[in-house]
Amino acid sequence: QVQLQESGPGLVKPSETLSLTCTVSGGSLNNYYWSWIRQPPGKGLEWIGHIYSSGSPSYNPSLKSRVTISGDTSKNQFSLELTSVTATDAAVYFCARHLRFYSSGWSYAFDIWGQGRVVIVSS
Amino acid sequence: DIQMTQSPSSLSASVGDRVTITCRASQSVTRFLNWYQHKPGEAPKLLISAASTLQTGVPSRFSGSGSGTDFTLTISSLQREDFAIYYCQQTHGSPPTFGPGTKVEIK
């Protein structure tokens, strides 16, 4: 079955760039939407953005100026870059796949998630 | 952004209890409302999509209902493996947003 695994540095210095990769195993990046979601300590889940296959990114307006999501179908991976990080960017970062379905209109849910990558922001 | 609230924020219940969690949206999300279960250290799990569609493999003791702004997740007979945090999520508006979660603990 399809599995997702986040990887990347667990410690990032303030003002630097957070970079994470999600590797898709047991399936293909093609023809699906893929998202990044984060959860700061003690807080709720926040959608960061998504990508379709390896293109057409869409971002949360609250983070849009600092986020880039890209995909590499040859490696079956998609990545997150978040620039100019501060302590408020410390969180567990999840990658997830979209399940699209029709129910009185097209919608979606996140049907497969990675286990999450803890990222600390500290000098 | 559409704001999601959940109540209660936490609850204590015993195995076999019936548990109901409420999710409310700040504006109508029609039926574009999903429920997730999250256990610490694990990947979140999609339980219910489109307000009431049970995902494959999810036990039938879980059910969802509602439309518009008010939704419920019901566990008809709580089992030990159900102790977790439950989140609702709307996908009617962009960005998609989640509720703050309801922690279900053992009494």
Side-chain angles (χ1 to χ4, degrees):
Chain A
Q1 72 276 23
V2 177
Q3 293 184 311
L4 307 182
Q5 180 66 58
E6 304 91 348
S7 60
L11 177 64
V12 183
K13 292 182 170 59
S15 80
E16 295 193 345
T17 296
L18 179 160
S19 297
L20 296 175
T21 296
C22 182
T23 300
V24 180
S25 59
S28 173
L29 207 65
N30 289 320
N31 303 315
Y32 282 96
Y33 285 88
W34 305 89
S35 271
W36 286 98
I37 299 132
R38 69 180 183 178
Q39 185 171 34
K43 296 190 176 182
L45 294 159
E46 179 183 34
W47 176 76
I48 299 170
H50 72 229
I51 193 168
Y52 178 70
S53 294
S54 60
S56 306
S58 177
Y59 305 125
N60 191 321
S62 67
L63 295 167
K64 188 173 184 178
S65 64
R66 299 194 292 131
V67 172
T68 301
I69 296 176
S70 59
D72 186 336
T73 53
S74 67
K75 295 182 178 179
N76 240 18
Q77 294 176 333
F78 63 105
S79 299
L80 168 70
E81 287 196 341
L82 181 66
T83 62
S84 305
V85 299
T86 68
T88 60
D89 294 310
V92 180
Y93 285 76
F94 298 96
C95 56
R97 188 183 78 170
H98 293 215
L99 167 70
R100 293 192 76 226
F101 54 87
Y102 189 86
S103 175
S104 302
W106 281 103
S107 189
Y108 64 96
F110 301 136
D111 68 330
I112 299 173
W113 297 61
Q115 288 194 310
R117 179 68 172 154
V118 175
V119 177
I120 297 168
V121 178
S122 176
S123 55
Chain B
D1 298 2
I2 297 175
Q3 304 303 315
M4 308 299 294
T5 58
Q6 289 181 235
S7 61
S9 57
S10 66
L11 64 91
S12 294
S14 300
V15 172
D17 284 354
R18 182 181 182 89
V19 168
T20 298
I21 298 169
T22 297
C23 175
R24 177 164 289 175
S26 60
Q27 64 189 76
S28 176
V29 298
T30 62
R31 288 179 59 83
F32 293 162
L33 190 287
N34 307 314
W35 289 97
Y36 299 88
Q37 177 192 66
H38 190 203
K39 299 178 182 179
E42 297 186 10
K45 178 182 179 180
L46 175 64
L47 298 176
I48 289 171
S49 61
S52 60
T53 301
L54 200 66
Q55 296 304 293
T56 301
V58 175
S60 59
R61 62 181 179 272
F62 290 91
S63 63
S65 64
S67 65
T69 60
D70 295 310
F71 300 85
T72 59
L73 172 70
T74 299
I75 309 172
S76 60
S77 177
L78 196 67
Q79 300 301 302
R80 186 158 296 275
E81 60 267 28
D82 302 336
F83 293 96
I85 301 174
Y86 293 86
Y87 296 95
C88 61
Q89 176 211 22
Q90 67 81 21
T91 54
H92 178 73
S94 185
T97 48
F98 293 85
T102 295
K103 187 174 185 179
V104 177
E105 297 177 301
I106 302 173
K107 183 182 274 186

